[in-house]
Amino acid sequence: MSEPSHPRDGDFELVTLRNGHRAVRHLGHGEVMHPAVGPWQEALRLYVDQPGLADRLRKPGPPLVIHDVGLGAATNAVAALTRARELGPQRARDLHVVSFEVDLAPLRLALADAEGFPFLQPFREACEGLMKHGTWSEPGIRWELKLGDAVPFLDAVLPTADLVFFDPFSPASNPDMWTEAVLARVRRHCREDGEGALLMTYSAATPTRVTLLLAGFYVGAGVSTGAKGETTVASTRYETLAAPLGTRWLERWERSSSRAPHGATLTPEVERRLRTHPQWR
């Protein structure tokens, strides 16, 4: 990273990556949001284009709901809003984005750096409205903010999710958000009928995939992004996964030194649940 000015807001600062992209870094644990290819390209590739958001919005139906877990600098949410707006009259259904975030400092920093985060500027008014009022809308698009600890919101009533952008800080930096208990809550709000729901996340770690399986998802490999050869996609329906994990993955898990789910120990009951998961049948 280069070291020009580093504007700060609370626990966060803006940095410039070696590739020239601007990004947000947490001052405490040092983790950078979207560190590899830059925030915009990662958001489009991993969270928007991978699940075919544009194609989904071209098909008539009820509002398509996204649960955006980890708003951060709003890159993923704005990528989805941008796709929806680009479709214009081709969009045959509404888009409803529900973002969860505990700290709005990253979004404030990104909005203040128009040159570093140009993709936010068409939605500046939306971002400001979201931060001030907790909601923003235009014809066919609604954006809602759940500000604070995500767990109480996940225990309450939410619109059923068609897509989940699961993008909190990593399990090492934010372990509480990656447990089976939290992911099972996320799973309870996901669509079961029709195509089901897809969850996308940047982590391809074995404990992440174990935890998603234990939380009730079917799990597969996701697209590469930056230096990551794979990411992870989870689904409420096995048949919607493009690259589901198979018995070869299960065999590698048996030999792995990281077999336990996040935030828990490997017990005989955990092993039994994983081996008997319907994914392998």
Side-chain angles (χ1 to χ4, degrees):
M1 298 176 188
S2 59
E3 300 291 337
S5 62
H6 284 186
R8 294 184 175 185
D9 186 329
D11 293 331
F12 297 88
E13 67 176 352
L14 287 182
V15 296
T16 303
L17 305 177
R18 292 191 183 95
N19 57 20
H21 294 294
R22 294 288 270 171
V24 178
R25 177 168 61 193
H26 192 281
L27 289 165
H29 50 65
E31 194 165 315
V32 176
M33 297 178 179
H34 305 274
V37 296
W40 190 239
Q41 291 306 314
E42 182 170 300
L44 291 174
R45 178 168 172 77
L46 176 54
Y47 296 103
V48 172
D49 292 341
Q50 178 170 223
L53 178 61
D55 289 339
R56 290 170 179 262
L57 290 173
R58 288 189 185 100
K59 299 175 183 176
L64 187 149
V65 177
I66 296 173
H67 288 181
D68 172 42
V69 184
L71 173 69
T75 310
N76 300 332
V78 167
L81 298 175
T82 299
R83 277 287 183 270
R85 188 182 274 180
E86 286 172 347
L87 287 173
Q90 295 182 47
R91 191 175 72 235
R93 60 195 298 198
D94 290 354
L95 176 66
H96 183 186
V97 179
V98 183
S99 292
F100 300 80
E101 183 53 70
V102 72
D103 192 335
L104 295 177
L107 180 53
R108 290 193 297 265
L109 283 168
L111 281 177
D113 184 5
E115 183 177 349
F117 298 82
F119 46 84
L120 293 184
Q121 295 310 304
F123 286 92
R124 169 177 284 278
E125 181 183 336
C127 292
E128 291 173 346
L130 187 79
M131 289 191 291
K132 185 175 182 180
H133 304 294
T135 185
W136 169 86
S137 63
E138 66 180 29
I141 301 176
R142 175 176 168 81
W143 191 10
E144 185 180 349
L145 173 65
K146 302 296 186 183
L147 182 60
D149 180 5
V151 171
F153 294 115
L154 292 171
D155 281 335
V157 176
L158 292 169
T160 301
D162 298 281
L163 300 174
V164 179
F165 299 170
F166 196 76
D167 194 21
F169 279 117
S170 73
S173 301
N174 190 12
D176 291 347
M177 281 300 294
W178 295 83
T179 63
E180 180 187 343
V182 169
L183 284 166
R185 286 174 167 88
V186 172
R187 172 68 176 77
R188 284 200 294 271
H189 294 289
C190 287
R191 181 168 303 285
E192 298 280 357
D193 60 345
E195 294 180 287
L198 289 180
L199 175 150
M200 283 68 60
T201 187
Y202 59 86
S203 174
T206 297
T208 296
R209 292 175 170 180
V210 168
T211 310
L212 284 164
L213 288 162
L214 293 175
F217 287 98
Y218 296 96
V219 179
V223 296
S224 62
T225 174
K228 289 181 176 291
E230 280 185 1
T231 53
T232 297
V233 178
S235 178
T236 58
R237 298 180 67 88
Y238 178 86
E239 57 271 22
T240 62
L241 291 172
L245 304 182
T247 54
R248 290 184 63 182
W249 180 89
L250 188 62
E251 290 166 1
R252 289 196 300 272
W253 170 78
E254 295 276 9
R255 302 190 297 270
S256 173
S257 59
S258 302
R259 298 171 67 205
H262 290 304
T265 57
L266 187 69
T267 65
E269 175 61 12
V270 166
E271 292 191 74
R272 183 198 66 77
R273 290 174 59 204
L274 195 70
R275 290 193 182 100
T276 60
H277 192 288
Q279 174 124 355
W280 323 121
R281 295 176 188 172

